[in-house]
Amino acid sequence: MGHKGFASLSPVFLLVCIFLMLHLVHGDLSYSIPEETKRGYVIGNIAKDLGIDLKTLSSRQARVDFGGSRKRYGNMNVNTGDLITSERIDRENLCGKKPSCVLKADLVLENPLELHRVSLHVQDVNDNGPQFNDDLIEMEISESADKGNRFSIEEAHDADIGQNAVQSYNLQNNDNFILSVDSHKVELVLENTLDREKQKEMNLLLTALDGGSPQRSGTVVIHVTVLDANDNAPVFSQTVYKASLPENSPPDTVVINISATDADEGVNGDVTYQFGHVSDNDINVFSIDSKTGVITLTGQVDFEEISSFEMRVKAKDGLGLTSYAKVLIDVHDINDNAPVIYLKSLTNPVPENVSPGTEVGIVNVQDEDSNINQNVHCSIQQNVPFKLVPSIKNYYSIVTTGQLDRELVSEYNITISATDEGSPPLSSSKTVQLSVADINDNPPVFEEQSYSAYVTENNKPGSTLCSVTARDPDWRQNGTVIYSLLPGEVNGAPVSSYVSVNGDTGVIHAVRSFDYEQLRNFKVQVMARDNGSPPLSSNVTVSVFISDVNDNSPQILYPALEANSFMTELVPKAAHGGSLVSKVIAVDADSGQNAWLSYHIVTSTEPGLFTIGVHSGEIRTQRDISESDSMKQNLIVAVKDNGQPSLSATCSMYLIISDNLAEVTELKDISSDENNSKMTSYLIIALVSVSTFFLTFIIIIMGVRFCRRRKPRLLFDGAVAIPSAYLPPNYADVDGTGTLRSTYNYDAYLTTGSRTSDFKFVTSYNDNTLPADQTLRKSPSDFVDPFEEFETSEVGA
């Protein structure tokens, strides 16, 4: 498009040119291209004409779309921006005799969607020469024809248009005829009358010339036979006949009836009809009745292929005179084409975190019908988070309307429906499958808010405690859960030294063997982390409860169980049945029923003399003491717990039946053994010291009772009392389970008439006599058998 010589043009024309240039810049491109160009012909550079960078063409997926099922006459090279031909372009097949032949195309750019209209003006070239319908035209002219008579000749047909169409005719020189040509017809004009006797027939060469370069021509031979007296040619009732026909009309449909009359009579007045020049595309579509002139439909007419027909019809009388008329047939459109939906682009899969209003695809809808039948409404009918947004021309954008969640819906089948406005309306649909890509937006969630694990003590290291399970609805690595322990301490040690967790299965194992007496329960924190980027995690608390097993035997605190211990109780001879003599004190480090203790006398010197409380351990006389009872009584007591299986311990209880210490002293004096004599002396001194200490202690206790401030009893009121400070610190539930329920008091039995106040013969103990290993030890360390010296004395007596 040239723009030279603007200075000499009028201001109004300049304004029109500027407006057209602005219109093109805003989206429309127009190119001219000669027909019959070879493939690869460069039509123009779109990038340069639109001012678009070549990188932009590639990144925005630029393409030229001729729409629908039509041929792709051109493609765009995104590397150069050139629009090149891809198919042979024949203007005559595309547009026939139309003066203007324009191919419409769309230049589509994505992200964002941009549309430019491209018009390709196909210019005619002189690729077709003039052609006559017949190679030989037979004419019969009466010799009586007058000078100046005109005889119509069928025009030559040239598929080209404009200057390339038929421009002139040339008739070979002859003596009788000259040629008359006007805009509508070609006629032979009789210049000199015919004389059949001189020349019965003649051949005239008629040449048709077009105006192309190079010039093309076509010829026909007119064979003139000179006859007599047929001087009237048929005359059509109309010069131009017009008819309309709905597309898809069935065969044998009557289109129009043409008629011509001839003033001659007989054979000279008999008129027959036939088509003149008919194109190759139309020859099988219509037929004409040679007698009646009725034109009927014999083929298929499709408005979308051909919207109108133009034909020449010929009327001929019996002797060969002819006349011509034109028939124009318009094809009416009916709504016989449903809309067609084309998916031009689609982002698949779509990340689930895209914001509402994001464009995920482009749809083009086309209907080959015309006018109102071409108006299309397009929508998405389903209840899906997508909608169609009308864009440019017949393009729609598929955009999201809400937040996507792959864990709820991972794939959508979007059905797009298109309906035209025809009567009746036609519709079509297209289903688009769209997948949702996963984003790591869900942390692992444990199936329970907290977990509890129960294990018995003395378990094997590596044993399973429990299993934790966390679910992550995300996909693949975003949903892969890995378990681990959070750092922490249990009793000052790292939690990893107590338990471990399988990172894949969530199974928690014990690392060590647990001891209920040392640790009853503890808590650990387990973290579940996914494998996303960035990873998400959650924590849960696991409480481990250790249950007790009966793995500790009862421990007897009193009397002491050491081999060298010497614990002896003094029983008055006047003791009645039911009198409290002593008490066995035992504890069990276990808990619950494993620490429920029972006491039993296994053997005794005098069976039936003493009994023991099953649960209290108190030893009482079962009857009154008689003179026949042995002075020395030895009881073996068994202490059992209530575990399964039951564990037990035994101890020996030594009792001396006597009213005063003198008898005991006399027993010791009888001994002739030197060593025993020394021991007896030590024993007497110890007894006297203990008596003094005991009396002093009783006085102090009596004073304390009157004080407002009460203090816990540290020693004993009678013979035996075990302070709470002496109990082993690791004994379970000492106060709660009944192993040591209270402080036990024993009465002091004083003898009458004796020189000194006697008391029970026990080993004294206090803070200095309780060792660190939590047992009550003997006071006289060198007594092996507590009754050995008495036996010696008895033998001496």
Side-chain angles (χ1 to χ4, degrees):
M1 299 177 62
H3 302 286
K4 297 179 181 180
F6 277 7
S8 62
L9 300 178
S10 66
V12 176
F13 183 78
L14 286 175
L15 289 175
V16 173
C17 292
I18 293 173
F19 175 78
L20 291 175
M21 291 175 62
L22 290 176
H23 182 66
L24 290 175
V25 170
H26 279 83
D28 287 349
L29 293 175
S30 181
Y31 296 98
S32 294
I33 175 175
E35 67 170 331
E36 302 295 339
T37 56
K38 296 182 180 180
R39 295 179 63 180
Y41 175 83
V42 178
I43 300 172
N45 191 290
I46 292 179
K48 180 179 178 181
D49 295 337
L50 289 178
I52 299 176
D53 185 72
L54 293 178
K55 293 182 179 179
T56 303
L57 290 179
S58 178
S59 63
R60 294 181 63 184
Q61 301 181 14
R63 63 182 180 274
V64 175
D65 191 353
F66 284 82
S69 58
R70 303 167 105 187
K71 293 182 179 180
R72 295 187 59 84
Y73 291 102
N75 285 319
M76 187 181 68
N77 187 334
V78 295
N79 296 323
T80 62
D82 290 333
L83 177 62
I84 60 178
T85 59
S86 60
E87 295 284 345
R88 171 179 171 270
I89 301 177
D90 187 354
R91 190 204 66 80
E92 285 73 31
N93 284 335
L94 286 174
C95 303
K97 301 293 285 184
K98 293 181 180 178
S100 175
C101 186
V102 180
L103 283 176
K104 297 290 186 179
D106 293 328
L107 173 64
V108 182
L109 295 135
E110 298 184 9
N111 299 320
L113 177 64
E114 184 177 347
L115 187 67
H116 297 271
R117 294 185 179 90
V118 179
S119 298
L120 300 181
H121 295 268
V122 182
Q123 303 297 326
D124 183 53
V125 298
N126 193 24
D127 58 336
N128 294 281
Q131 291 181 350
F132 289 92
N133 191 43
D134 300 310
D135 295 332
L136 178 66
I137 299 176
E138 294 282 349
M139 296 187 68
E140 296 177 344
I141 302 175
S142 175
E143 65 176 351
S144 62
D146 295 334
K147 183 179 178 180
N149 283 359
R150 294 174 177 268
F151 305 94
S152 296
I153 303 297
E154 183 178 3
E155 298 175 351
H157 172 74
D158 194 331
D160 297 323
I161 62 172
Q163 190 68 25
N164 294 327
V166 176
Q167 298 295 318
S168 62
Y169 292 87
N170 185 18
L171 181 64
Q172 182 185 7
N173 292 332
N174 62 88
D175 296 328
N176 301 98
F177 297 92
I178 61 174
L179 192 65
S180 174
V181 180
D182 60 22
S183 59
H184 297 291
K185 55 187 176 179
V186 178
E187 295 177 319
L188 285 178
V189 180
L190 185 61
E191 188 177 42
N192 296 310
T193 59
L194 299 174
D195 186 356
R196 191 185 67 83
E197 285 72 22
K198 288 184 179 181
Q199 189 176 6
K200 183 179 181 179
E201 59 183 23
M202 65 187 69
N203 289 324
L204 305 176
L205 182 64
L206 177 63
T207 302
L209 301 171
D210 62 21
S213 179
Q215 190 178 47
R216 295 178 181 268
S217 63
T219 60
V220 65
V221 175
I222 303 173
H223 182 263
V224 180
T225 301
V226 181
L227 301 176
D228 289 339
N230 186 25
D231 55 354
N232 292 290
V235 177
F236 280 101
S237 60
Q238 296 176 218
T239 304
V240 178
Y241 292 88
K242 293 183 179 180
S244 61
L245 180 68
E247 65 172 327
N248 300 331
S249 295
D252 297 331
T253 299
V254 175
V255 179
I256 194 172
N257 188 4
I258 62 172
S259 64
T261 60
D262 193 313
D264 295 325
E265 294 181 351
V267 176
N268 294 331
D270 291 338
V271 179
T272 59
Y273 304 93
Q274 65 185 79
F275 285 120
H277 175 77
V278 180
S279 67
D280 294 339
N281 293 331
D282 303 341
I283 194 169
N284 296 321
V285 179
F286 301 96
S287 66
I288 186 170
D289 190 308
S290 61
K291 298 296 183 180
T292 63
V294 175
I295 298 175
T296 57
L297 181 67
T298 58
Q300 188 74 22
V301 288
D302 187 354
F303 174 84
E304 287 70 42
E305 294 293 334
I306 302 177
S307 60
S308 64
F309 294 90
E310 180 178 339
M311 298 177 293
R312 303 282 287 181
V313 290
K314 177 171 63 174
K316 180 179 178 181
D317 62 18
L319 296 180
L321 294 181
T322 60
S323 62
Y324 295 88
K326 183 183 295 185
V327 177
L328 300 178
I329 302 174
D330 290 330
V331 180
H332 290 173
D333 180 48
I334 64 173
N335 192 29
D336 61 340
N337 291 281
V340 181
I341 302 171
Y342 298 95
L343 182 63
K344 295 300 182 180
S345 67
L346 183 66
T347 302
N348 198 8
V350 179
E352 61 178 322
N353 62 344
V354 296
S355 57
T358 301
E359 180 182 274
V360 299
I362 298 174
V363 172
N364 177 240
V365 182
Q366 297 184 9
D367 193 317
E368 294 184 355
D369 294 319
S370 63
N371 299 326
I372 193 172
N373 296 329
Q374 194 180 31
N375 298 336
V376 178
H377 300 283
C378 195
S379 64
I380 295 176
Q381 302 296 335
Q382 301 155 291
N383 186 21
V384 293
F386 300 94
K387 68 176 181 179
L388 286 179
V389 177
S391 186
I392 304 170
K393 200 178 178 181
N394 50 354
Y395 285 84
Y396 295 83
S397 296
I398 304 175
V399 300
T400 58
T401 59
Q403 191 67 47
L404 304 180
D405 190 347
R406 191 204 67 84
E407 288 69 46
L408 295 178
V409 181
S410 61
E411 188 173 86
Y412 292 93
N413 287 327
I414 305 172
T415 300
I416 302 172
S417 299
T419 305
D420 60 27
E421 294 183 0
S423 180
L426 299 178
S427 62
S428 61
S429 62
K430 186 179 185 65
T431 299
V432 178
Q433 289 186 341
L434 189 65
S435 299
V436 182
D438 183 51
I439 299 297
N440 190 28
D441 56 348
N442 290 282
V445 177
F446 284 95
E447 291 183 347
E448 300 181 18
Q449 294 183 349
S450 62
Y451 291 84
S452 297
Y454 298 90
V455 60
T456 57
E457 63 174 330
N458 304 325
N459 59 290
K460 292 183 180 180
S463 58
T464 299
L465 300 181
C466 69
S467 177
V468 297
T469 303
R471 307 292 183 187
D472 194 320
D474 291 322
W475 194 48
R476 288 188 176 175
Q477 65 178 15
N478 294 333
T480 302
V481 179
I482 301 173
Y483 303 92
S484 61
L485 289 177
L486 290 179
E489 292 187 352
V490 176
N491 284 351
V495 68
S496 59
S497 64
Y498 284 83
V499 296
S500 66
V501 63
N502 189 307
D504 297 326
T505 63
V507 176
I508 298 176
H509 301 276
V511 175
R512 62 168 66 176
S513 178
F514 300 126
D515 187 356
Y516 175 83
E517 288 70 41
Q518 298 294 330
L519 181 65
R520 297 190 180 185
N521 60 75
F522 60 92
K523 294 183 179 181
V524 297
Q525 291 281 331
V526 178
M527 178 180 70
R529 174 181 60 83
D530 60 30
N531 217 16
S533 178
L536 301 177
S537 63
S538 60
N539 304 331
V540 71
T541 300
V542 179
S543 301
V544 181
F545 297 94
I546 304 168
S547 59
D548 182 50
V549 297
N550 193 27
D551 60 343
N552 291 279
S553 301
Q555 184 176 351
I556 299 175
L557 301 181
Y558 184 84
L561 300 180
E562 285 78 357
N564 296 326
S565 297
F566 175 47
M567 303 294 291
T568 304
E569 296 285 355
L570 190 63
V571 181
K573 293 180 180 180
H576 298 289
S579 298
L580 178 62
V581 174
S582 184
K583 177 178 175 64
V584 176
I585 302 175
V587 294
D588 195 314
D590 296 319
S591 65
Q593 68 178 9
N594 294 329
W596 296 350
L597 303 181
S598 61
Y599 301 84
H600 309 277
I601 296 177
V602 179
T603 60
S604 64
T605 304
E606 294 288 342
L609 178 58
F610 297 99
T611 183
I612 189 168
V614 176
H615 300 295
S616 65
E618 295 178 346
I619 300 175
R620 296 179 181 272
T621 57
Q622 193 169 358
R623 58 177 174 78
D624 294 343
I625 297 176
S626 64
E627 292 295 333
S628 61
D629 292 330
S630 175
M631 183 179 183
K632 297 183 295 181
Q633 297 290 329
N634 184 12
L635 305 179
I636 297 178
V637 178
V639 183
K640 297 182 179 180
D641 59 27
N642 200 35
Q644 294 294 330
S646 177
L647 300 178
S648 64
T650 60
C651 67
S652 295
M653 179 67 70
Y654 301 99
L655 303 175
I656 298 176
I657 301 175
S658 176
D659 287 333
N660 53 57
L661 293 177
E663 297 180 2
V664 178
T665 304
E666 291 173 359
L667 290 174
K668 301 179 71 67
D669 290 340
I670 298 173
S671 176
S672 59
D673 186 86
E674 182 179 353
N675 189 34
N676 288 344
S677 298
K678 291 181 180 180
M679 293 180 64
T680 302
S681 299
Y682 293 151
L683 181 59
I684 293 173
I685 294 172
L687 290 175
V688 172
S689 299
V690 169
S691 301
T692 306
F693 175 76
F694 179 74
L695 291 175
T696 304
F697 183 75
I698 292 298
I699 294 173
I700 293 174
I701 292 299
M702 295 297 290
V704 171
R705 287 184 177 179
F706 294 99
C707 296
R708 288 183 302 173
R709 181 180 178 184
R710 297 184 62 186
K711 296 183 179 179
R713 186 175 301 175
L714 298 177
L715 294 178
F716 49 87
D717 292 339
V720 179
I722 302 300
S724 61
Y726 297 158
L727 297 178
N730 62 339
Y731 274 50
D733 294 333
V734 171
D735 293 332
T737 62
T739 302
L740 289 179
R741 295 182 180 82
S742 61
T743 303
Y744 297 91
N745 300 329
Y746 296 87
D747 295 333
Y749 295 94
L750 301 179
T751 58
T752 58
S754 63
R755 294 174 295 172
T756 176
S757 297
D758 298 331
F759 58 93
K760 290 187 178 181
F761 186 61
V762 297
T763 302
S764 174
Y765 56 90
N766 51 32
D767 290 345
N768 296 325
T769 61
L770 281 175
D773 59 356
Q774 306 165 0
T775 61
L776 298 176
R777 300 187 180 277
K778 65 180 181 176
S779 180
S781 61
D782 53 348
F783 283 177
V784 177
D785 185 358
F787 290 116
E788 182 181 355
E789 59 178 293
F790 299 115
E791 292 174 355
T792 304
S793 301
E794 290 176 356
V795 172

